[in-house]
Amino acid sequence: MTASRVPRSRRFLVCEPRHFAVQYAINPWMHPDKPVDVDLAQEQWQQLIRAYRDHGHTVDSVEPVPGLPDMVFAANAAFVVGGRVFGSLFHAPERRPESVHYDTWFKAAGYDVHRPESVTEGEGDLVWTGRYVLAGTGFRTTREAHREAQEFLGHPVIGLTLVDPYFYHLDTALFVLDDDNICYYPEAFSPGSREVLKRLYPNAVLATREDAMAFGLNSVSDGRNVFIAPRAEALAERLAGHGYVPVPVDLSEFHKAGGGIKCCTQEIR
C-alpha cells in the first residue's frame, strides 16, 4: 500500500528559535516557571529542517526578533493559498507584533497580504484540504475571521468548534494527510463538528487523546511521509497501516509552549 502514496514537494516557511522561551502563559501547556533549554530547542529545530530537506522540500526562513519568543511558531502567522496571504491578528497581545514581521517577509517576496480585522491565527486554525478550508474556533480564531478569510481567499470555509483547551488550535487536533483524507481526534470537537467531519471524511484516521497529548496531531504530511512526534507511537503505527510513512522528529522542547512540528511550519502554496 505504501507505494501508492505519492509525496508532493512542499515549500515551508520557518523561524529559528534563537529567542524561544516561555515567558507568559496563554495555553495550558505553558508554565513560565519551567525553564526552556534553548540549545536543545535549536538542535531539535535543526533536525526538523534537515528532515524536510532530506525529503525534497524547500525551506525558507524569517529572521527571528528579540522579545518575540513565540515567533518560532511560524504556522500561526498566516494562511497562504494560491499566492494570497491571509495574515494574523493574534488573540494574545504578547504575540501581535509577530504579524508585522511575517507580513513584511511576504510583501518583500511579492505576495498579496491581507491584514485581517478579526482575531485569527493563521494555519493554527485554518487548514487547507486541497478543496476547501477547515477552520477552527472556540479558543482563538473567531467565526468572523472565517467569513473574512472566505471573502479574501475565494474558497469555501467550513467552521469547526474546538472544546478542549489543551487543543486550542485546530492544528493540535487535526491534520491533512493528502487531498482525500485527514487524521483527527474526535473528542477535541463539539458534537456537531464531529458530525461534519464524519460526513466529510468517513475514512479518516482517528486519533486518541493519548495521541493528541503527545502532539501526534501537530504533524505535517506531504501525502506519503508524515513528520510526527516520536511519542505518538500508536498513531504512527496506525498511519503506517494506512500506507503512510512516519518520520519521527522530536520537538519536545517546544511542547513546553504548546507547539510542535506543524506549529513551527508555515506552508506556502
Side-chain angles (χ1 to χ4, degrees):
M1 183 183 289
T2 300
S4 67
R5 302 293 182 192
V6 180
R8 188 171 68 234
S9 296
R10 308 299 175 96
R11 183 184 179 193
F12 298 133
L13 182 63
V14 299
C15 183
E16 179 189 349
R18 195 181 308 160
H19 310 294
F20 176 58
V22 177
Q23 298 177 346
Y24 43 77
I26 57 174
N27 66 57
W29 301 93
M30 302 180 82
H31 301 282
D33 57 324
K34 294 182 179 179
V36 167
D37 186 333
V38 178
D39 291 337
L40 177 57
Q42 282 272 12
E43 180 182 330
Q44 291 180 344
W45 183 83
Q46 290 291 349
Q47 289 175 355
L48 177 64
I49 305 310
R50 284 195 295 271
Y52 284 152
R53 288 176 171 154
D54 287 347
H55 286 81
H57 305 301
T58 300
V59 181
D60 293 312
S61 185
V62 170
E63 183 69 14
V65 176
L68 297 178
D70 282 339
M71 196 171 168
V72 64
F73 299 126
N76 304 154
F79 178 74
V80 187
V81 176
R84 292 185 175 185
V85 179
F86 187 70
S88 289
L89 176 59
F90 285 94
H91 181 269
E94 295 91 339
R95 297 200 64 185
R96 290 193 172 180
E98 296 175 31
S99 300
V100 175
H101 302 286
Y102 280 97
D103 288 355
T104 299
W105 188 93
F106 279 113
K107 288 176 181 177
Y111 288 90
D112 178 17
V113 179
H114 174 78
R115 292 300 305 272
E117 297 178 0
S118 308
V119 171
T120 180
E121 300 201 346
E123 284 193 320
D125 276 322
L126 301 175
V127 175
W128 178 243
T129 68
R131 291 168 290 173
Y132 42 75
V133 181
L134 296 179
T137 190
F139 297 100
R140 302 289 183 84
T141 299
T142 64
R143 290 198 179 276
E144 288 76 14
H146 295 180
R147 290 190 285 271
E148 195 176 345
Q150 181 168 279
E151 287 301 310
F152 175 69
L153 298 169
H155 290 289
V157 175
I158 299 172
L160 301 168
T161 301
L162 296 161
V163 296
D164 188 324
Y166 278 95
F167 313 115
Y168 56 94
H169 271 158
L170 186 59
D171 72 359
T172 64
L174 176 153
F175 72 97
V176 172
L177 287 164
D178 50 39
D179 288 344
D180 299 313
N181 212 0
I182 65 171
C183 177
Y184 70 101
Y185 168 48
E187 283 69 30
F189 299 90
S190 67
S193 295
R194 291 200 296 271
E195 287 296 319
V196 169
L197 289 170
K198 189 183 300 183
R199 289 176 185 274
L200 292 174
Y201 298 99
N203 300 313
V205 178
L206 301 183
T208 66
R209 183 174 179 82
E210 289 72 24
D211 298 327
M213 292 294 287
F215 285 82
L217 292 164
N218 197 240
S219 297
V220 171
S221 172
D222 64 14
R224 181 175 188 267
N225 304 292
V226 178
F227 303 88
I228 188 170
R231 285 178 48 226
E233 294 180 5
L235 180 58
E237 290 180 9
R238 217 168 301 133
L239 291 168
H242 283 78
Y244 299 95
V245 180
V247 181
V249 183
D250 184 9
L251 258 63
S252 55
E253 201 62 18
F254 297 94
H255 297 178
K256 295 177 180 178
I261 293 170
K262 177 55 193 171
C263 288
C264 291
T265 309
Q266 166 74 232
E267 185 172 353
I268 302 175
R269 305 171 189 84

